[in-house]
Amino acid sequence: MSDYAVLAGRSIRLTRRNLDAVITALVLPVMLMLVFVYFFGGAIETTTGTYVTYVAPGVLILCAGYGASMTATTVSNDMTNGIIDRFRSMDTHGTAVLTGHVAASVARNAVATAAVLAVAFAIGFRPHAGPAQWLAAIGILLLYITALSWLGAAAGLLAKSPEAAGGFTFGMLFLPYPSSAFVPIDTMPDWLHGFADNQPVTPVIESMRALLLDQPAGNSPWQALTWCAGLLAVALPLCAALFRRRTG
């Protein structure tokens, strides 16, 4: 257990030293939310009253994508700069390195989530959730962040360089756009509905939106949990296999 705690602390310290990336991960989602709310929000009809109330959960999911992309880059850095050989010479458990990066990603995203929520509240976000609904919404978001961070770690192991690792994560950053994150799906072209309705981001966002607004959530929470469990079921063994191949 000490290996995991020490390497999680190391990854968090690395994050603190990479302030440019942290500021970008914090500022970009907030700027996107402000652009959507003040530039496009007046032209988009939703069932949530104000547009900021509709879009805030989508921006939180966007934050998770940026956090996961940083995980891919930091893992790739470790795999290419020789630090893994030093860890292995100290009999450090291999999975502790990856777990440390994922723990740092969850911590980064927690800070980014707090920042986005603070700005959203400042510009009119008014959820109606009780404590249990807040806990459920945060739990689904954290599970999604964890699953996405492990996928980012797998991308970092697949990539031959940190720059390539950043490219691998483009899909994670793009996925919220063809979903219900920023506009209702029924306003999209018909040919896009099937993908938008059945990709992992949509049930996560719909669950958070329903829980925070005290509205019926339907099957969305179960679909969100199933997607997150499925992503973890793919990412965890993939990370283990790739780590063995890269360090064996």
Side-chain angles (χ1 to χ4, degrees), residues 55-147:
V55 80
V59 176
L60 294 177
I61 295 299
L62 197 62
C63 282
Y66 284 108
S69 69
M70 290 181 67
T71 305
T73 305
T74 53
V75 168
S76 183
N77 262 324
D78 274 0
M79 300 307 297
T80 55
N81 65 10
I83 191 67
I84 296 297
D85 293 332
R86 293 189 61 186
F87 287 148
R88 288 173 67 84
S89 71
M90 293 184 289
D91 196 26
T92 302
H93 200 287
T95 57
V97 179
L98 300 179
T99 304
H101 284 298
V102 171
S105 173
V106 174
R108 280 195 305 269
N109 272 287
V111 174
T113 297
V116 168
L117 281 176
V119 174
F121 273 109
I123 62 175
F125 179 50
R126 297 294 181 268
H128 310 294
Q133 291 163 310
W134 269 104
L135 286 175
I138 291 172
I140 290 173
L141 179 61
L142 287 177
L143 186 60
Y144 178 76
I145 289 170
T146 302

Side-chain angles (χ1 to χ4, degrees), residues 37 41 44 46-56 123-126 213:
V37 170
I44 300 173
T46 68
T47 58
T48 59
T50 60
Y51 183 67
V52 64
T53 301
Y54 181 87
V55 80
I123 62 175
F125 179 50
R126 297 294 181 268
L213 299 182

Side-chain angles (χ1 to χ4, degrees), residues 144 175 195-196 198-205 223-224 227-228 231:
Y144 178 76
L175 212 51
F195 177 77
N198 297 288
Q199 58 126 315
V201 168
T202 296
V204 175
I205 289 175
Q223 292 173 352
W227 267 112
C228 292
L231 293 175

